[in-house]
């Protein structure tokens, strides 16, 4: 069994040599550098998360893995709903919050915890109806554990937004690395002790460690430093209205992601649902990386709104090149990659994965347009883009899955993203701000 020691609550959580090489490889410009750090964090979470479940399937029987996985997935979904998309809210408003930073972070924590608890309790009340095989969660001790974990994971997501908002993306990497490594270590300990709940305990224990370490740095170091940068900053107006609209938009995007597996399951059966999920997990990686760059765009533009236009153009060009390279790579290696899961995954999932990779190109523009709308507080546009995407994806999938098989889902995503991207190109004046007038002015003559 692998063994490890508790990681120290400081930046040395990543070995110095690795950190030095990572720093040298990243761009110096904060706009791109911070986006790359967030992308590294997402990739670390994805890769080590896959390693965790590989170990889990070797150390626990299939029934135990299935029940624990379903429980973790349910808690994660409920926390995502319960945190009200306030992670993106913090990314948008913390950069210019100044002396209001701590109060804003704690208010979001309180709201996320409260609504996550409500969501978890409501789910437990419905377990006999919607998930009877999870009835072990109704035991009083287990129920308290489930509710507490759901609330804790909401804070875990929110602290990522807070760390990003105060321009500490390196600590997002640290925090996710700590969570992943401690989780694997505790998983090994639980397997050695033959604990049925070893998987759940590993997630909960790692969550506690990550929350303590990250919030120690956030509230003791990063927030005070950030508040000193702008002690006279005014509290942003109309925060509740913005949060409600942004949350509504995020629910539509979440529905597009979450309901697709159900559409495949209903249209084609359980086996094809498995083929879809593997291709979907890989195909969504470019989407995730663009979202990371968008978070960096929001932070830097919120600090200096005059730079929104040049920042958007810079990120769009950079991300488009990166997504083109990623799409080309995925298209080439798709059959080989899926073959690791079995020949049926390769045969049924290759075309789907290639179409999802292509859809990442127009999604670059769609995702960044939403982020620009967040900076400009164009609430109708935020909701409208994500509502349209949801309706197009689910509607087209419903029609195309019976006719084209799994490829129908890929065609639906590619078509929806292309239609939205085309609209945004044609109507770019509605969402992209004009370049500041002073950026066109010639430099002043030097004094003679």
């Amino acid at each position: 069994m692998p063994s490890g020691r508790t990681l120290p609550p400081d930046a040395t959580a990543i070995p110095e040599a690795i950190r030095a090489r990572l720093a040298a490889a990243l761009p110096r410009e904060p706009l791109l550098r911070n986006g790359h750090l967030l992308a590294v964090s997402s990739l670390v979470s994805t890769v080590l998360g896959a390693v965790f479940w590989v170990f889990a399937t070797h150390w626990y029987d299939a029934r135990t893995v299935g029940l624990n996985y379903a429980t973790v997935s349910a808690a994660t979904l409920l926390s995502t709903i319960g945190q009200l998309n306030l992670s993106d809210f913090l990314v948008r408003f913390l950069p210019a919050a100044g002396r209001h930073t701590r109060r804003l972070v704690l208010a979001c924590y309180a709201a996320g915890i409260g609504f996550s608890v409500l969501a978890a309790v409501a789910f437990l009340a419905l377990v006999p109806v919607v998930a009877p095989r999870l009835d072990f969660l109704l035991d009083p001790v287990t129920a308290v554990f489930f509710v507490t974990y759901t609330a804790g994971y909401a804070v875990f997501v929110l602290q990522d937004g807070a760390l990003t908002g105060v321009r500490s993306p390196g600590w997002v990497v640290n925090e996710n690395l700590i969570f992943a490594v401690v989780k694997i270590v505790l998983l090994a300990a639980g397997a050695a002790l033959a604990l049925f709940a070893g998987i759940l305990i590993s997630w909960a224990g790692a969550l506690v460690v990550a929350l303590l370490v990250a919030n120690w740095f956030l509230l003791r170091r990063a927030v005070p430093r950030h508040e000193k940068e702008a002690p006279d900053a005014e509290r942003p107006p109309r925060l509740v209205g913005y949060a409600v609209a942004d949350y509504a938009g995020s629910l539509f995007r979440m529905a597009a992601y979450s309901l697709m597996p159900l559409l495949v399951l209903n249209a084609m059966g359980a086996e094809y649902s498995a083929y879809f999920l593997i291709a979907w997990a890989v195909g969504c990686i470019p989407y995730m990386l663009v979202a990371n760059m968008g978070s960096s765009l929001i932070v830097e533009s919120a600090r200096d709104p005059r730079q929104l236009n040049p920042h958007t153009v810079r990120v769009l060009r950079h991300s488009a090149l990166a997504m083109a390279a990623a799409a080309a790579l995925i298209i080439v290696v798709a059959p080989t990659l899926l073959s690791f899961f079995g020949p049926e995954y390769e045969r049924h999932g290759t075309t789907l994965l290639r179409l999802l990779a292509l859809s990442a190109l127009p999604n670059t523009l769609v995702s960044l347009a939403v982020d620009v709308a967040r900076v400009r507080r164009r609430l109708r546009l935020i909701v409208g883009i994500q509502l349209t995407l949801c309706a197009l994806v689910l509607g087209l999938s419903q029609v195309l899955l019976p006719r084209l098989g799994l490829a129908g889902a890929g065609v639906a995503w590619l078509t929806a993203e292309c239609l939205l991207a085309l609209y945004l190109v044609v109507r770019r004046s509605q969402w992209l701000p004009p370049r500041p007038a002073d950026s066109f002015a010639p430099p002043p003559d030097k004094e003679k």
Side-chain angles (χ1 to χ4, degrees), residues 18 27 72 109 119 130 151 157-158 192 234 257 264 311 320 357 371 390 411 436:
I18 297 177
V72 169
Y109 278 9
V130 300
V157 175
L158 291 172
E234 296 294 328
Y257 293 154
V264 173
H311 281 344
D371 292 327
C390 179
V411 172

Side-chain angles (χ1 to χ4, degrees), residues 356-369:
L356 290 174
L358 285 174
S359 73
L361 294 173
N363 175 70
T364 301
L365 179 60
V366 174
S367 181
L368 290 178

Side-chain angles (χ1 to χ4, degrees), residues 1-8 13 55 59 177-178 180-190 192 209:
M1 300 290 180
S3 61
R5 58 183 179 177
T6 303
L7 298 173
F55 286 150
W59 296 341
L177 183 62
I178 290 170
V181 172
V182 174
K183 190 168 58 175
I184 293 173
V185 172
L186 293 178
L187 178 73
V209 173

Side-chain angles (χ1 to χ4, degrees), residues 52-83:
F52 174 88
W53 288 110
V54 168
F55 286 150
T57 57
H58 283 79
W59 296 341
Y60 292 85
D61 63 81
R63 179 178 178 275
T64 301
V65 172
L67 289 174
N68 281 267
Y69 181 78
T71 302
V72 169
S73 297
T76 302
L77 176 61
L78 292 168
S79 67
T80 301
I81 296 171
Q83 60 99 0

Side-chain angles (χ1 to χ4, degrees), residues 214-236:
N215 280 288
W216 173 85
F217 171 79
L218 175 66
L219 298 175
R220 295 290 299 275
R221 298 288 183 85
V223 167
R225 181 185 64 209
H226 188 71
E227 289 181 331
K228 289 178 182 178
E229 292 178 357
D232 298 326
E234 296 294 328
R235 184 178 183 273

Side-chain angles (χ1 to χ4, degrees), residues 3 156 190 237 301 305:
S3 61
F156 181 77
S301 300

Side-chain angles (χ1 to χ4, degrees), residues 19 26 43 46 76 106 118-119 153 163 262 273-274 331 351 356 360 367 389 408 414:
R19 293 177 63 241
L26 292 170
L43 290 174
T46 300
T76 302
L106 295 179
L118 290 176
Y153 198 82
L163 288 166
L262 296 179
S273 180
I331 288 171
T351 301
L356 290 174
S367 181
L389 178 67
L414 180 58

